[in-house]
Amino acid sequence: MKEVKIVLVGYMGSGKTTVGRIVANHLNVNFLDLDAFIEEGEKMSIASIFKEKGEIYFRKKEIEYLNKVFLKDESFVLSLGGGTPCFGNNMEFINSKTPYSFYLNVGINELEERLVKEKEHRPMISHLADDKLTEFIGMHLFERSFFYNKAHHKIKSNRNTPTEIAEMIVNKLV
Ligand SMILES: Nc1ncnc2c1ncn2[C@@H]1O[C@H](COP(=O)(O)OP(=O)(O)O)[C@@H](O)[C@H]1O
Ligand SMILES: O=C(O)C1=C[C@@H](OP(=O)(O)O)[C@@H](O)[C@H](O)C1
Ligand SMILES: [Mg+2]
């Protein structure tokens, strides 16, 4: 197989990290998660970066580390953070580097069910009461969809398992 760079975008909880790891295993290529790459490089958790340095600092770091990943002359699957495509010209940059950008399109109810259990690690939603989550996700996803829809491929989940989503992605590779 020639070099292939796959990038997964989508809202928090859409399964980028989970599905990305499966796709990378399947293709036997490196798996990179932008959040984990930033945490490793900055020696701080995402939650601490938001708390101590603020969101703008985090967004600058996302751009910086995204550029670093694409300096790698190798195949990989890269899972982004939910906000990465929505800042700077990140989506244009990604699409200029690879034909394999994928939007994991997951419905609001499914996202809410997943995120209500995991919101404390996600500074964008950790402060929200559970009963405010659906409304917030609805508005936020609406704003962000404009950027996510720039991905070359869209994968719609209808309560599919992570393995099924990974298969849908692999099937799109030529
Ligand atoms: N297709 C799926 N079906 C059910 N649960 C899923 C699916 N994909 C991911 N999850 C679960 O949803 C949560 C968020 O997944 P994660 O991969 O961290 O998403 P993201 O990186 O997009 O924020 C995790 O608990 C994960 O196990
Ligand atoms: O949507 C966002 O703005 C964020 C999503 C997170 O990644 P996941 O989408 O993997 O949760 C992480 O980058 C940070 O908490 C900000
Ligand atoms: Mg993730």
Side-chain angles (χ1 to χ4, degrees), residues 10-19 33 35 79-82 104 110 114-115 117-118 122 157 159-163 165:
Y11 199 71
M12 286 175 273
S14 59
K16 302 175 296 293
T17 302
T18 309
V19 172
D33 187 87
D35 283 335
S79 297
L80 300 183
L104 304 191
E110 211 172 328
R114 294 181 198 170
L115 289 173
K117 292 180 249 167
E118 294 194 354
R122 289 178 168 85
S157 167
R159 300 199 173 267
N160 298 93
T161 65
T163 308
I165 309 272

Side-chain angles (χ1 to χ4, degrees), residues 49 108 171:
I49 297 175
I108 296 169
N171 287 339

Side-chain angles (χ1 to χ4, degrees), residues 87-101:
F87 292 86
N89 65 346
N90 289 346
M91 215 50 231
E92 286 73 19
F93 172 73
I94 292 159
N95 283 339
S96 74
K97 296 285 184 190
T98 176
Y100 297 126
S101 54

Side-chain angles (χ1 to χ4, degrees), residues 109-171:
N109 292 336
E110 211 172 328
L111 291 172
E112 194 272 340
E113 286 165 27
R114 294 181 198 170
L115 289 173
V116 75
K117 292 180 249 167
E118 294 194 354
K119 60 175 191 173
E120 68 277 11
H121 309 293
R122 289 178 168 85
M124 301 298 294
I125 52 170
S126 54
H127 61 287
L128 292 171
D130 288 356
D131 64 352
K132 295 278 183 272
L133 204 52
T134 311
E135 189 190 345
F136 177 85
I137 294 170
M139 303 232 329
H140 204 205
L141 181 59
F142 178 72
E143 288 166 13
R144 287 181 162 190
S145 299
F146 170 76
F147 299 96
Y148 298 152
N149 276 307
K150 293 183 183 188
H152 291 308
H153 307 273
K154 284 101 187 163
I155 303 288
K156 182 121 184 89
S157 167
N158 285 308
R159 300 199 173 267
N160 298 93
T161 65
T163 308
E164 286 167 346
I165 309 272
E167 264 171 36
M168 292 184 217
I169 292 172
V170 171
N171 287 339

Side-chain angles (χ1 to χ4, degrees), residues 38-39 42-55 57-58 120-123 126:
I38 295 171
E39 287 181 331
E42 296 297 297
K43 300 188 172 40
M44 276 173 100
S45 68
I46 300 295
S48 308
I49 297 175
F50 266 77
K51 198 158 157 241
E52 289 171 33
K53 312 255 186 173
E55 182 178 352
Y57 178 89
F58 174 72
E120 68 277 11
H121 309 293
R122 289 178 168 85
S126 54

